[in-house]
Amino acid sequence: LDAAAGAVQFLGEGNYLPLAYESLVVREPLPGRAFGWLRLRGDATGAADNLTCDLAVLDEEGRERVTVRGFSMRRVSEELVEQMRAQGARQPQASAAAPEVGDGILPEEGVEVLMRILDAAPGPQLVITTRSLTALERHFDANDRDALAQRLAEGDGSDHQRPEVSSEYAEPENDLERRIAATWRRVLGLDRVGVHDNFFELGGTSLNAIQLVSELKQELDRELSTVAVFEAPTVSALARYLAPEKQVKVTEAAKSRAQKRNKALRRRPRPRQR
């Protein structure tokens, strides 16, 4: 699926990041050999900011094993790509002297473990771990939702300085902007976020956007699509997107369309009774 979806970006000019899927249906198990197929929606001019297509993973007989509708990618600037690369290079590397719960195993050890599993023919459920289950249980018990929420509220001291971006820093002007900016700071790990700062210039990615939407839903108790972050990538734009008056306008527009449709239906001539 990654290979099939990754080919979409070559239909345009520049750099693209995954945006969203409308639907994904697994029809049959994947075979050992498969082929990707895609059909672009709209005009493939190469200059579009958004590329949307339908995908399929086919077997050698041409049967669809996986069907994807409405896979979209969005163009990003070369400057943003360089910022993301630099951010990745700055990520701290795990220390060999400080093993954590998530420690892995060497490739040759993985092969040995796999051979032992195949020889033993265990049941349908199996756990392979490099640490005792008791230690893992203690670790995850200490990281439940309440503990994580408390650490977020207190701050873990890992906030980074706001990077240099194209916009000047501006403070939030109302409660909605302040709550959105605070959520951005938690997700991106920044000490401050201006209302005109672009989410992706600050180092946000499509994965961060998913996390941001999830936290905003809880913070604001509102439904919000992941696409909203791409359509409104600043705090001020997202606040306008979520403003109550906009929701009222949308509701009024929908009501007006419904009234016009009902009037048109009433004007239609009724069929004669026989």
Side-chain angles (χ1 to χ4, degrees), residues 139-186:
H139 172 80
F140 290 112
D141 283 346
N143 288 277
D144 59 10
R145 178 184 292 271
D146 293 337
L148 292 174
Q150 182 178 355
R151 283 203 293 274
L152 280 174
E154 295 173 351
D156 58 3
S158 62
D159 287 350
H160 301 287
Q161 288 188 350
R162 171 178 173 269
E164 293 293 331
V165 294
S166 59
S167 58
E168 293 185 5
Y169 177 77
E171 289 281 351
E173 297 181 350
N174 53 57
D175 180 64
L176 181 57
E177 288 186 349
R178 282 190 287 271
R179 294 170 70 183
I180 293 173
T183 306
W184 282 35
R185 291 198 303 270
R186 290 198 305 269

Side-chain angles (χ1 to χ4, degrees), residues 5-264:
V8 178
Q9 62 185 313
F10 298 114
L11 300 177
E13 299 175 358
N15 303 291
Y16 289 83
L17 286 177
L19 176 58
Y21 289 92
E22 290 177 4
S23 66
L24 188 152
V25 179
V26 179
R27 304 186 183 280
E28 298 181 58
L30 290 176
R33 186 178 184 187
F35 300 87
W37 172 91
L38 67 89
R39 180 181 61 200
L40 188 67
R41 295 184 183 178
D43 183 22
T45 61
D49 286 334
N50 293 305
L51 296 175
T52 302
C53 70
D54 298 322
L55 298 167
V57 179
L58 313 174
D59 61 19
E60 293 185 278
E61 285 72 40
R63 295 196 307 272
E64 286 193 12
R65 298 296 186 98
V66 177
T67 303
V68 176
R69 302 296 183 198
F71 171 68
S72 299
M73 301 189 81
R74 183 174 178 84
R75 187 202 305 274
V76 296
S77 65
E78 184 63 36
E79 291 78 10
L80 176 57
V81 173
E82 292 301 324
Q83 288 178 9
M84 293 173 64
R85 288 172 179 163
Q87 183 186 33
R90 290 195 300 268
Q91 293 296 323
Q93 300 297 318
S95 171
E100 297 292 339
V101 170
D103 282 352
I105 57 178
L106 297 174
E108 56 270 22
E109 294 173 333
V111 173
E112 175 65 22
V113 170
L114 176 60
M115 297 307 297
R116 293 188 185 186
I117 293 171
L118 295 176
D119 287 340
Q125 296 184 358
L126 182 68
V127 174
I128 303 297
T129 174
T130 59
R131 301 186 65 181
S132 74
L133 291 178
T134 303
L136 289 172
E137 187 176 6
R138 286 198 302 267
H139 172 80
F140 290 112
D141 283 346
N143 288 277
D144 59 10
R145 178 184 292 271
D146 293 337
L148 292 174
Q150 182 178 355
R151 283 203 293 274
L152 280 174
E154 295 173 351
D156 58 3
S158 62
D159 287 350
H160 301 287
Q161 288 188 350
R162 171 178 173 269
E164 293 293 331
V165 294
S166 59
S167 58
E168 293 185 5
Y169 177 77
E171 289 281 351
E173 297 181 350
N174 53 57
D175 180 64
L176 181 57
E177 288 186 349
R178 282 190 287 271
R179 294 170 70 183
I180 293 173
T183 306
W184 282 35
R185 291 198 303 270
R186 290 198 305 269
V187 171
L188 297 175
L190 298 176
D191 59 348
R192 60 178 186 162
V193 170
V195 294
H196 303 304
D197 295 347
N198 187 289
F199 179 77
F200 300 99
E201 281 193 74
L202 292 173
T205 66
S206 55
L207 293 178
N208 292 140
I210 295 173
Q211 180 187 1
L212 176 66
V213 167
S214 176
E215 295 204 15
L216 283 173
K217 285 181 180 179
Q218 295 184 20
E219 170 67 25
L220 305 175
D221 192 24
R222 298 276 295 277
E223 283 300 318
L224 183 65
S225 169
T226 306
V227 179
V229 182
F230 293 85
E231 295 178 343
T234 67
V235 170
S236 60
L238 194 55
R240 291 194 299 271
Y241 187 95
L242 293 169
E245 55 268 22
K246 176 175 180 178
Q247 304 301 321
V248 172
K249 291 179 181 178
V250 171
T251 303
E252 290 177 348
K255 185 184 296 184
S256 176
R257 288 195 298 270
Q259 291 173 347
K260 290 179 181 179
R261 184 169 59 251
N262 290 337
K263 288 181 180 179

